[in-house]
Amino acid sequence: MRFEAACRDALKLNCGMDPEDRARRDLVDLQKNLRAVVALAQQVYPITVGIGSHLRFMLAAFAIKQNEHANSLLKLGSSPDTMLIARTMLEGLSQMLWAAKRPRQRPLLWRSFAFVRDWRQIQEHRASGRSIDPQVECSVLVGLRRFGNRFLTKQAKVARAAGHALPTDPYMKNWYGESESEILRDVGGEDLWRQAYGPFSEWHHWRIGAIGQLVSFDEVTGRFRILTSSPSSVAAATGCAFQCLWQTMQLLNAQCRLGVGRELQSLKYLHLRLTKR
């Protein structure tokens, strides 16, 4: 299923009847569907990814993380903090799909960024006077000589071209060099950005709109009160979590031939019936 269509399916829970009434009605089934895909994901390990495919390695790692997030979201029940977990799951899905568009280049970028991370950790250890294993540092420097140029910032590239010294830290903040919103849009997630990732980010970034919807203040007693749940937000987060884990497992199954395609399609069918009823 194309990502655009999958996004629309995940967001149909907010359409039609009153969102809160629909959410209360559907949340039990949404959680049941998510538990089923979590259980299926746990059954496929261990996975043999081999050494020839960076995409398979990335998919397997992302599937483990997505499954852990989905499990945690279920434990939160009706808490609005389900939005925080769904938001990070959406980031993972968009990065994974973005990498899969160029399977020979981008998954390797994800893996090789480890050298930048390790180099930064070495700099921190050196600045704090901690000892550094010479063999580890040598391995990191070898990796940077091979892959580091791919992660140079624009400022560092300009300095190098002009023959000037590079900045103290010449590397990009993250492996993909794009903003999360740009990546999400690049993989066709405009609807998801507008209707899910954006609203979830309000709660993540402590913005007044999200807090104002869930926190009230009684001027008479001088007390604050927070709602224990927002049914429509929790339902949307649960639906997005299902889509993130399901689509990750679908790609992993296709790449690693896990033999769970029929089970995945059955779970998707149940989810679509829920969104259309």
Side-chain angles (χ1 to χ4, degrees):
M1 176 180 290
R2 295 179 62 192
F3 186 51
E4 304 94 301
C7 292
R8 289 193 291 272
D9 290 333
L11 296 169
K12 282 179 181 176
L13 297 166
N14 287 331
C15 303
M17 63 186 295
D18 178 76
E20 303 304 322
D21 291 339
R22 173 117 189 223
R24 291 187 184 93
R25 186 190 71 175
D26 290 345
L27 185 54
V28 172
D29 287 333
L30 283 168
Q31 292 170 335
K32 180 180 179 180
N33 289 348
L34 183 55
R35 287 191 184 93
V37 74
V38 166
L40 179 63
Q42 291 172 342
Q43 293 172 10
V44 302
Y45 291 93
I47 296 174
T48 302
V49 299
I51 61 175
S53 174
H54 299 298
L55 177 60
R56 287 198 297 267
F57 185 92
M58 183 180 186
L59 288 172
F62 272 46
I64 291 173
K65 190 171 187 290
Q66 292 283 32
N67 197 61
E68 181 67 19
H69 286 317
N71 214 10
S72 297
L73 185 145
L74 287 167
K75 291 178 181 178
L76 285 176
S78 60
S79 169
D81 279 355
T82 53
M83 292 185 288
L84 302 179
I85 295 180
R87 180 183 182 276
T88 197
M89 292 181 75
L90 289 171
E91 285 189 8
L93 178 63
S94 61
Q95 288 182 33
M96 181 193 70
L97 294 173
W98 187 77
K101 291 179 72 172
R102 295 184 183 175
R104 293 182 180 274
Q105 295 86 24
R106 288 174 176 171
L108 178 57
L109 284 178
W110 175 72
R111 294 189 73 175
S112 58
F113 194 75
F115 293 113
V116 174
R117 179 193 175 278
D118 290 346
W119 176 83
R120 286 179 173 144
Q121 189 171 54
I122 288 173
Q123 308 316 304
E124 292 175 2
H125 286 182
R126 179 168 286 122
S128 62
R130 297 175 62 180
S131 62
I132 299 167
D133 187 328
Q135 291 185 335
V136 171
E137 184 173 20
C138 179
S139 176
V140 170
L141 293 177
V142 169
L144 285 178
R145 281 195 293 270
R146 182 178 178 185
F147 300 107
N149 289 340
R150 305 180 185 188
F151 302 112
L152 291 177
T153 63
K154 292 181 180 179
Q155 181 184 5
K157 290 178 181 178
V158 169
R160 186 179 62 178
H164 299 156
L166 297 181
T168 304
D169 185 341
Y171 301 111
M172 297 187 301
K173 180 180 179 181
N174 51 53
W175 70 273
Y176 42 86
E178 306 280 347
S179 70
E180 284 76 14
S181 61
E182 289 170 336
I183 286 182
L184 194 56
R185 292 188 179 102
D186 186 55
V187 296
E190 291 85 355
D191 288 343
L192 203 55
W193 168 264
R194 184 175 64 256
Q195 299 183 42
Y197 188 88
F200 295 165
S201 296
E202 292 285 307
W203 187 244
H204 173 81
H205 289 299
W206 298 76
R207 291 174 182 153
I208 187 65
I211 293 179
Q213 289 179 351
L214 294 173
V215 178
S216 63
F217 177 69
D218 188 327
E219 294 184 1
V220 176
T221 62
R223 293 181 177 178
F224 284 93
R225 183 174 67 90
I226 184 169
L227 298 178
T228 56
S229 71
S230 169
S232 61
S233 296
V234 175
T238 307
C240 287
F242 175 93
Q243 184 60 43
C244 290
L245 180 56
W246 183 89
Q247 199 158 1
T248 303
M249 292 306 302
Q250 183 192 44
L251 284 171
L252 182 62
N253 178 65
Q255 287 289 323
C256 297
R257 299 179 182 179
L258 303 177
V260 295
R262 183 173 297 179
E263 292 89 340
L264 285 170
Q265 289 303 320
S266 296
L267 289 171
K268 187 62 179 180
Y269 174 72
L270 292 175
H271 188 71
L272 289 176
R273 283 184 58 190
L274 177 60
T275 64
K276 292 177 179 178
R277 77 183 185 184

